[in-house]
C-alpha cells in the first residue's frame, strides 16, 4: 500500500498539512544495498518489479511492503499469468494449503494501546467470511502470523509483510512502524493489518497493473513477467475503488471487504 497522491489531494495537503499514507509513501525506494543482477532476474521471473528493490536480511523487499525470501527467489513457479482488464483481484502462485486451517496471530507488546483492538477487528473481518482459513489471536507461544514492531522500515513505510506463502504455509507475519502510522482510528489500522494479512496468505495488490489508480501520479506496473499474479475469476475487469488490497490508502480510510473482495476470498479459500 502507498500514499494516495492524487492532484486533488495535493491542494488539500498544502492547505492543511494532512498526510495520506499507507504501507509505503514513495514509488522509488532508495536502494540501501546493491541488489545483484542475478537477484533482479529472479525478482522479475516471479512477476515483481525490481525497481527500488532493497536487499535485507533473508531476501529482498519489493513493491514497498513485500519480502521475497531467498527460498522464494530460488523457486520456479509453473502457473502463468491470466489477465482481463486492468484492475482486478489477484493472487500469487503460492497459497496456504492443508485446509481447513486455523492461523494464529500475535501482537507484540511493544505496540501502543489500540493495536490489539485493531488486530481483533482484522481477524473478525476474515472470520466473518466463513472461509476454510480462520484466524485466532494468541497471547503466548509462537504464532503463524506474528505482528511485530519496527522503529523504522524506511521513509514513509507503514508496514511490510513477510512475503507470500511457502510450502503451503503463510508468510511469517508482518512488521508495522507506529512512528509512521501515527494516530489513526482502530478501523484504519485494522485495514492496514488486514491488507498485510492478505499478502501473507497469497493476495497481491488489486491494482497490480496500474498502481496509479489508487496512488495517483504516472501509471506504474508492479511487474511485467508472465508469472506471479493470477486473476481471480469473478472479480471485475473495471476499477474497484474500495478493495482492501489496493496499493494505496488514506490516513482516515476504512476498507472492510467489499463484494468483489468477498468473491476473491471465497474463490481462493
Amino acid at each position: 500500500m502507498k500514499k494516495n497522491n492524487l492532484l486533488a489531494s495535493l491542494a488539500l495537503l498544502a492547505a492543511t498539512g494532512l498526510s495520506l499514507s499507507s504501507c509505503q509513501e514513495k514509488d522509488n525506494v532508495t536502494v540501501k544495498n546493491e541488489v545483484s543482477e542475478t537477484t533482479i532476474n529472479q525478482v522479475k521471473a516471479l512477476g515483481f518489479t525490481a525497481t527500488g528493490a532493497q536487499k535485507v536480511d533473508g531476501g529482498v523487499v519489493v513493491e514497498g511492503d513485500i519480502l521475497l525470501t531467498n527460498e522464494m527467489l530460488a523457486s520456479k513457479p509453473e502457473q502463468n499469468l491470466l489477465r482481463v482488464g486492468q484492475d482486478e483481484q489477484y493472487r500469487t502462485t503460492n497459497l496456504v494449503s492443508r485446509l481447513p486451517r486455523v492461523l494464529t496471530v500475535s501482537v507484540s507488546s511493544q505496540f501502543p494501546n489500540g493495536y490489539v483492538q485493531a488486530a481483533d477487528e482484522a481477524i473478525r473481518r476474515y472470520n466473518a467470511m466463513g472461509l476454510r482459513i480462520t484466524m485466532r489471536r494468541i497471547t503466548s507461544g509462537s504464532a503463524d502470523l506474528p505482528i511485530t514492531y519496527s522503529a523504522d522500515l524506511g521513509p514513509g513505510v507503514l508496514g511490510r509483510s513477510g512475503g507470500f506463502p511457502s510450502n503451503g504455509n503463510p508468510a511469517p507475519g508482518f512488521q508495522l512502524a507506529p512512528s509512521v502510522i501515527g494516530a489513526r482510528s482502530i478501523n484504519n489500522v485494522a485495514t492496514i493489518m488486514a491488507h498485510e494479512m492478505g499478502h501473507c496468505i497469497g493476495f497481491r495488490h488489486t491494482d497490480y497493473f496500474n498502481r496509479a489508480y489508487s496512488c495517483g501520479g504516472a501509471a506504474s506496473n508492479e511487474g511485467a513477467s508472465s508469472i506471479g499474479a493470477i486473476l481471480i475469476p469473478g472479480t471485475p475487469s473495471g476499477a474497484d475503488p474500495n478493495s482492501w488490497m489496493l496499493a494505496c490508502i488514506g490516513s482516515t480510510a476504512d476498507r472492510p471487504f467489499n463484494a468483489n473482495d468477498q468473491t476473491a476470498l471465497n474463490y481462493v479459500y
Side-chain angles (χ1 to χ4, degrees), residues 101-108 123 135-148 169-174 197 200:
R101 189 166 174 182
V102 178
L103 301 181
T104 54
V105 179
S106 63
V107 181
S108 169
I123 291 170
M135 299 186 188
R136 176 172 58 88
R137 184 171 61 84
I138 60 175
T139 57
S140 63
S142 179
D144 298 304
L145 299 176
I147 306 174
T148 54
N169 296 313
F174 53 93
M197 290 173 177
C200 289

Side-chain angles (χ1 to χ4, degrees), residues 208-246:
Y208 165 80
F209 278 94
N210 184 10
R211 292 166 68 91
Y213 175 68
S214 67
C215 303
S220 175
N221 189 312
E222 290 185 351
S225 173
S226 61
I227 54 176
I230 300 174
L231 167 66
I232 298 171
T235 58
S237 58
D240 184 355
N242 298 306
S243 174
W244 102 108
M245 290 307 295
L246 286 172

Side-chain angles (χ1 to χ4, degrees), residues 130-214:
L131 307 174
R132 290 176 295 162
I133 281 181
T134 55
M135 299 186 188
R136 176 172 58 88
R137 184 171 61 84
I138 60 175
T139 57
S140 63
S142 179
D144 298 304
L145 299 176
I147 306 174
T148 54
Y149 177 94
S150 176
D152 181 18
L153 291 172
V157 179
L158 302 181
R160 176 181 298 160
S161 78
F164 290 115
S166 177
N167 296 321
N169 296 313
F174 53 93
Q175 296 175 289
L176 296 179
S179 62
V180 181
I181 293 173
R184 295 171 182 244
S185 70
I186 296 298
N187 283 343
N188 180 269
V189 178
T191 297
I192 295 171
M193 290 181 175
H195 178 98
E196 300 299 347
M197 290 173 177
H199 284 316
C200 289
I201 62 174
F203 288 91
R204 292 202 63 171
H205 291 142
T206 302
D207 45 351
Y208 165 80
F209 278 94
N210 184 10
R211 292 166 68 91
Y213 175 68
S214 67

Side-chain angles (χ1 to χ4, degrees), residues 66-78:
I66 299 169
L67 172 66
L68 298 181
T69 64
N70 291 327
E71 180 182 16
M72 289 186 66
L73 289 168
S75 68
K76 298 182 183 298
E78 297 178 355

